[in-house]
Amino acid sequence: MVKPVLLAALVCAAPVCLASAQDAKVSVDMMGIGGMSCAHWQSTQALRLEGTIWIYGFWTGLNYVAAASGEKETKVDTAAVTVEVKQACAKRPSQILASGRVDRLSRPQ
């Protein structure tokens, strides 16, 4: 079983690695459908559902780490997050789902 501290460190590092990966054009090993292309995510109803669940799980992980580390949780409308990701993915279907604005939305505005 993974210790909570290690889990928190891994989840906390994911958004940092994601943003750095986009800027530096390097590969990051994403888990699940988050590492697949936007085109793949949108290809079937079942995959759209899986991707939406992944987005919610990713966001929950960000909020968990924020709460556990005493930081302010990012409050967003879940439907708004999904719409933002869909719009970004429509513009660049070859990008990975995790790049579809999730990183931008997770940064304080």
Side-chain angles (χ1 to χ4, degrees):
M1 183 166 191
V2 179
K3 294 187 178 194
V5 173
L6 178 58
L7 180 61
L10 290 172
V11 174
C12 186
V16 173
C17 294
L18 177 60
S20 299
Q22 286 181 287
D23 296 338
K25 303 291 184 205
V26 296
S27 177
V28 173
D29 188 21
M30 272 293 153
M31 297 174 74
I33 198 167
M36 305 297 285
S37 72
C38 287
H40 176 77
W41 170 45
Q42 292 293 303
S43 64
T44 69
Q45 179 62 32
L47 290 172
R48 283 190 292 276
L49 177 60
E50 183 180 345
T52 301
I53 292 168
W54 185 90
I55 292 166
Y56 293 165
F58 183 84
W59 210 264
T60 299
L62 290 175
N63 281 335
Y64 178 85
V65 169
S69 62
E71 296 177 21
K72 183 179 178 186
E73 294 179 44
T74 304
K75 302 290 185 191
V76 295
D77 176 33
T78 54
V81 171
T82 306
V83 168
E84 281 272 344
V85 174
K86 284 180 183 178
Q87 289 173 348
C89 282
K91 292 177 183 171
R92 292 189 41 221
S94 62
Q95 74 180 339
I96 64 168
L97 175 58
S99 297
R101 311 282 282 198
V102 174
D103 66 314
R104 186 189 72 76
L105 291 168
S106 66
R107 295 181 193 150
Q109 302 293 319

